[in-house]
Structures are given as structure tokens and as C-alpha cells.
Amino acid sequence: MAEQSDKTADLYPDSSMESIRSHILADPERMFDDEPAQTITQDGWMVAYLDLMTLLLALFIIMGAISHSKAGVKMQAPSSPQKTASQGATVSDNATVQRQGQRKGMEESVQRILGSNSLGGVMDYKLSPGEVRLQMHANMLFDAADTKLNKKALRTLKNIARVLDHYKGKIEVAGHTDNTPLGKGRFKSNWELSSARAAAVVEALINLGIAQNRLHATGYADTRPIASNATPEGRARNRRVEFIVEMGPEFIYER
């Protein structure tokens, strides 16, 4: 009993014994509730902590699942462009085959037209995007350093006019020379000579029935050689007359 009094005195150091007794009589179990209350308080804190950790773990699991889902979508995304590129390549290949077919058809057509008009071994040709270029040696139409059409030129130009009738586009008649300087004479330069020759051919084609609004004459002198001017053969090739005929859009193709 003395020990209990001492313990009670320690719990209530500032109270009188009568006050202590009144507290004990009012709630006799209070003296022994301190430790269980403390234990219950500690257990409640642990439960709250574990709940928090569980929520955090669930949050991390959800975030991980979302990130993996997005990564899967990104890995699959390139498949669509690859398919598109493959389709684009197929379209490009088909267009290339079509252009090659058009070019072959045009070459056969030009060869047939030239051959049927006795120009197969006389005129060369070259196909370019949107045009066909026909050319012949100037000596087939002109004497040396002259702009007057020679005797055999008329028959040749009649054949050329029939060839040009197969096409409906504009026609440029271009005169070209080699780089040999002109001596004293009617023309002072190769510019004048090449331009005068082109104009003479245009006038002859108009007389042969080619519409004049389709024709124009250009002189290039020696500025566009197709061979070396260092040899007689090269200079002869550079002295030429060209007929550049515009083609319709159906004959435009890549080089």
C-alpha cells in the first residue's frame, strides 16, 4: 500500500493525498492505462505508414504500366511510314517504267517518220524533256560561208516540212557555226552568219506550208559546239542547222 502511495505521489507530485484518492475512486483503472494507450498509439502510426507505402507502390505500378504502353505504341509507329515509303517506291517505279515506254515509243516514231521522208541517214535526232531536236549538217542546205539555200536544199526542206507536220508545237530553227573567223565578206561574224541561215530556213518552211506563228529563228554562232573545233571533222559537225520542236505534256519525261 505504501508503494502504491509512492507511485501515486510520483504520478501526481503537486496534488494532495485527498485529491489523489478522489481521482482513484472516480476512475480506478486510469492508473494502469498509460502503457496500453501508448502501445495502441504506436500500432496506429505503423498502420498509417504501411497504408501510405501501399498507395505509393500501387502508384508506381500504374505509372510503369502506362510508360510501357506508350513505349509499345512508339515502337509500332514507324511501320506506317515504312508502308507509305514502300507504296511510294512502287508508284515511282511504275512512273519510271511508263516514262521509259514513252521514250521508246517516241524514238520509234521519230525514226519511222524520218525514214519515210528520206531523212533516215541525213538527220540526227535527240529527245529531251518536252522536245525533240532534229539536226543536219549545214552543207546539206548551204554552200560554205553562204546563206543562200543551194540547189538540193529545196527537196530536203520539203521532206523536213512533212516531218514537222507530224507535230503541233512551236519550232525553233537554230543556226550554228564552227569557231573559224570569217574573212572579208558580207558577214562580219559567225553570229550574223548563223542568224541569217536560220532566217533563210524559216522563210523556206513558211513557203512550204508551215504556219509562221509556229516558227522562230535563232543564231548561236560557235557558242554551242557538239564536237571539238580542233579537227576538220569536229568543225564540220559543229556547222549545223537544228529544228527544236516543242512536244505536248504527254511526251515529257525525266532525263
Side-chain angles (χ1 to χ4, degrees), residues 23 77 90 100-101 132-134 147-148 186 189 218 226:
H23 282 291
T90 302
Q100 291 175 348
V132 58
R133 186 181 296 263
L134 308 172
T147 60
K148 183 179 179 180
R186 179 181 174 188
S189 69
T218 309
I226 58 174

Side-chain angles (χ1 to χ4, degrees), residues 9-96:
D10 293 335
L11 291 173
Y12 304 97
D14 297 330
S15 303
S16 62
M17 292 300 294
E18 190 64 27
S19 175
I20 294 172
R21 288 193 189 96
S22 62
H23 282 291
I24 294 172
L25 292 175
D27 190 4
E29 295 182 357
R30 185 176 179 182
M31 295 292 294
F32 308 99
D33 286 342
D34 291 343
E35 291 184 3
Q38 184 176 3
T39 303
I40 293 173
T41 302
Q42 292 178 351
D43 290 344
W45 178 83
M46 290 294 296
V47 170
Y49 175 76
L50 292 175
D51 288 342
L52 177 61
M53 295 301 295
T54 302
L55 291 174
L56 289 175
L57 179 61
L59 178 62
F60 289 140
I61 292 174
I62 294 172
M63 292 178 64
I66 293 174
S67 65
H68 282 296
S69 176
K70 291 182 178 180
V73 172
K74 290 180 180 179
M75 291 177 64
Q76 295 176 358
S79 62
S80 178
Q82 290 175 358
K83 184 177 180 181
T84 303
S86 177
Q87 293 175 348
T90 302
V91 172
S92 177
D93 291 342
N94 291 338
T96 300

Side-chain angles (χ1 to χ4, degrees), residues 154-198:
L154 183 58
R155 177 180 295 181
T156 302
L157 287 175
K158 283 182 179 180
N159 295 334
I160 292 174
R162 286 196 293 268
V163 170
L164 296 178
D165 274 338
H166 286 81
Y167 308 104
K168 303 303 180 183
K170 301 288 186 179
I171 304 167
E172 176 187 0
V173 179
H176 300 271
T177 67
D178 59 23
N179 64 348
T180 304
L182 296 178
K184 295 180 180 180
R186 179 181 174 188
F187 300 103
K188 297 180 180 179
S189 69
N190 284 318
W191 285 105
E192 294 182 10
L193 176 61
S194 61
S195 299
R197 284 181 170 180

